[in-house]
């Protein structure tokens, strides 16, 4: 197959969308398919996994490049001759990619990865949630199929009127994120830095942005024998640093690859704070690393965490619930161990190879459905 990937985010920006797109491209290369990438012009590499990367004009918003509509998109798609278009977290650039694909007769798969309404609300974009959902419906109605990562996302999109949906989760690197990483020199060195006096380490990994609600970690203030490690960066860092002032916090900045695997391995508990996650990839990475996870009972984590088995879910927006859940795990080492082992078992069937094979089946299905539609329309015109 020839797959055109239009992504609202790509390297060097690192987030869930970028990670997912990179893993998909690597799988396509391994399986012998052909692909291209169309993304915002924010310093992306000229190619990835052997596939050319085409950059189109963009603007920066809160340190995040936003691709602008450009006539280049349709020209690139036409020149490539794609069998299917993959729109990763479509917004402005993705919407144009889907529209261009429809004009060219190319079936498209839209991958829903960002809660646009929630993002608009928490980042002060000045538009209402209802208006944002109308835009989401308009974008996704143009695609042949929208893939949702969780039951919460499926409910939201069906409520917004998006009609053709299927579930597609995310994979996790089961080697990079592994309990055995605790024995590595890098993890041991980091652990000594984060826990010089034997403190238990509560870790967070992700973008430091308003919608991530990292400032909720302030609810852990005063818990004895605790240190907090934050991996990531973003526009809300000054506000979060102010909220956590005086607490035992270590800022590790952006990490990737083996360094990120070592960071997870140096934690005792993983805390997820945001209530508007469509999935929650860091939850899977923490589980793969053998960590118990604390998260709000909202969005993607509802599907990823079995309360009381591999983590604890607290009521969304309840800071006292967050504090109680972390305090419970900090005080009970056997419980942390049991939940960490259960989390690892939970993700063993979610390698990227398995998940990307599922994606290829979705590609094949929309290609087949579009071909049957064209054939049916041709017969109807012949008989009319």
């Amino acid at each position: 197959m020839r797959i055109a990937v239009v992504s609202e985010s790509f390297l060097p920006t690192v987030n869930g969308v970028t990670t997912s797109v990179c893993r998909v491209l690597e799988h396509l290369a391994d399986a012998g398919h052909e692909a291209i990438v169309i993304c915002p012009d924010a310093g992306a590499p000229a190619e990835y996994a052997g596939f050319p990367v085409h950059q189109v004009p963009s603007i920066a918003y809160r340190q995040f490049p936003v691709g602008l509509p450009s006539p280049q998109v349709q020209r690139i798609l036409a020149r490539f001759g794609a069998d299917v278009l993959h729109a990763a977290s479509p917004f402005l650039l993705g919407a144009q990619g889907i529209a261009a694909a429809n004009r060219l007769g190319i079936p498209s798969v839209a991958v829903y990865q960002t809660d646009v309404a929630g993002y608009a609300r928490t980042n002060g974009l000045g538009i209402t949630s209802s208006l944002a959902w109308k835009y989401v419906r308009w974008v996704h109605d143009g695609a042949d199929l929208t893939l949702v990562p969780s039951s919460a996302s499926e409910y939201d999109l069906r409520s917004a009127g998006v009609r053709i949906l299927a579930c597609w989760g995310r994979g996790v690197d089961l080697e990079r994120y592994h309990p055995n990483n605790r024995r590595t020199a890098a993890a041991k060195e980091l652990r000594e830095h984060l826990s010089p006096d034997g403190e238990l380490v509560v870790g967070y990994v992700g973008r430091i942005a308003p919608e991530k609600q990292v400032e909720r970690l302030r609810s852990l203030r005063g818990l004895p024998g605790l240190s907090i490690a934050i991996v990531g960066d973003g526009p809300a860092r000054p506000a979060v640093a102010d909220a956590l002032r005086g607490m035992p916090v270590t800022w590790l900045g952006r990490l990737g690859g083996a360094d990120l695997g070592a960071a997870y391995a140096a934690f005792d508990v993983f805390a997820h704070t945001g209530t508007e996650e469509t999935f929650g990839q860091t939850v899977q990475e923490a589980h793969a690393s053998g960590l118990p996870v604390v998260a709000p009972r909202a969005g993607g984590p509802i599907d990823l965490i079995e309360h009381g088995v591999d983590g604890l879910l607290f009521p969304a927006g309840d800071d006292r619930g967050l504090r109680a859940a972390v305090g419970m795990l900090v005080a009970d080492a056997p419980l942390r161990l049991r939940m960490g082992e259960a989390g690892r078992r939970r993700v063993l069937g979610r390698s990227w190879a398995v998940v990307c094979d599922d994606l290829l089946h979705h590609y094949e299905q929309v290609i087949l459905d579009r071909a049957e539609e064209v054939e049916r329309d041709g017969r109807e015109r012949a008989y009319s």
Side-chain angles (χ1 to χ4, degrees):
M1 279 186 287
R2 296 172 66 82
I3 300 98
V5 178
V6 177
S7 182
E8 301 289 345
S9 177
F10 198 59
L11 298 171
T13 301
V14 179
N15 53 34
V17 176
T18 300
T19 298
S20 176
V21 167
C22 289
R23 299 296 87 78
V24 168
L25 292 170
E26 291 161 7
H27 190 75
L28 293 176
D30 290 343
H33 299 286
E34 296 183 58
I36 59 169
V37 180
I38 302 174
C39 65
D41 61 347
E47 65 173 41
Y48 187 85
F51 301 133
V53 176
H54 302 272
Q55 300 184 66
V56 298
S58 68
I59 58 172
Y61 179 78
R62 292 182 180 266
Q63 303 179 5
F64 188 82
V66 178
L68 299 175
S70 167
Q72 296 178 47
V73 173
Q74 184 161 333
R75 290 199 294 267
I76 294 168
L77 290 177
R79 198 162 51 239
F80 178 60
D83 296 310
V84 65
L85 178 129
H86 172 130
S89 192
F91 187 53
L92 296 179
L93 181 58
Q96 187 185 10
I98 292 169
N102 283 330
R103 288 191 292 270
L104 294 168
I106 300 169
S108 58
V109 172
V111 180
Y112 181 73
Q113 288 180 256
T114 303
D115 178 358
V116 175
Y119 184 88
R121 182 172 58 253
T122 56
N123 286 273
L125 294 182
I127 59 176
T128 66
S129 290
S130 61
L131 186 59
W133 278 118
K134 287 180 181 178
Y135 181 77
V136 169
R137 183 177 65 228
W138 175 77
V139 171
H140 286 269
D141 271 351
D144 292 74
L145 175 66
T146 290
L147 299 178
V148 294
S150 64
S151 58
S153 296
E154 181 176 6
Y155 175 81
D156 287 343
L157 287 179
R158 289 198 186 281
S159 298
V162 181
R163 298 165 298 167
I164 306 175
L165 303 173
C167 288
W168 181 63
R170 303 291 178 273
V172 63
D173 189 328
L174 297 171
E175 297 302 320
R176 176 169 293 168
Y177 308 110
H178 196 291
N180 288 344
N181 289 337
R182 294 169 190 161
R183 305 191 189 105
T184 65
K188 289 179 179 178
E189 181 180 351
L190 180 57
R191 176 73 187 194
E192 290 176 3
H193 174 61
L194 298 175
S195 177
D197 298 312
E199 297 92 342
L200 289 173
V201 181
V202 176
Y204 167 86
V205 175
R207 195 161 181 263
I208 315 300
E211 69 275 10
K212 302 298 184 180
Q213 303 172 35
V214 187
E215 67 279 359
R216 291 192 178 280
L217 292 176
R218 66 191 168 203
S219 67
L220 305 183
R221 189 183 300 274
L223 282 177
L226 193 72
S227 74
I228 298 170
I230 297 178
V231 176
D233 202 355
R237 175 168 173 169
V240 173
D242 186 60
L244 304 183
R245 192 180 307 278
M247 296 179 66
V249 178
T250 302
W251 296 84
L252 297 175
R254 296 178 182 176
L255 298 177
D259 292 335
L260 182 55
Y264 279 110
F267 300 161
D268 295 292
V269 175
F270 184 78
H272 176 83
T273 50
T275 59
E276 296 166 348
E277 294 290 333
T278 58
F279 186 66
Q281 179 65 7
T282 57
V283 171
Q284 288 203 137
E285 293 169 355
H287 273 161
S289 301
L291 294 174
V293 178
V294 172
R297 192 183 294 275
I302 294 174
D303 293 345
L304 299 178
I305 299 168
E306 185 175 355
H307 180 70
V309 176
D310 48 43
L312 296 172
L313 295 168
F314 61 91
D318 183 357
D319 286 351
R320 286 185 296 181
L322 169 59
R323 180 185 177 91
V326 170
M328 179 178 173
L329 288 169
V330 167
D332 193 334
L335 180 63
R336 293 197 304 273
L337 180 61
R338 287 198 303 272
M339 286 190 172
E341 291 175 345
R344 175 70 185 181
R345 289 195 300 271
R346 188 180 182 90
V347 299
L348 287 178
R350 298 181 186 165
S351 69
W352 275 110
V354 170
V355 169
C356 288
D357 278 342
D358 289 342
L359 179 62
L360 291 176
H361 293 319
H362 288 301
Y363 290 162
E364 292 166 354
Q365 188 61 54
V366 296
I367 291 170
L368 178 61
D369 290 346
R370 179 65 72 94
E372 290 177 348
E373 180 183 344
V374 170
E375 183 179 353
R376 185 171 56 252
D377 290 345
R379 288 198 303 267
E380 289 175 354
R381 284 194 297 271
Y383 290 124
S384 62

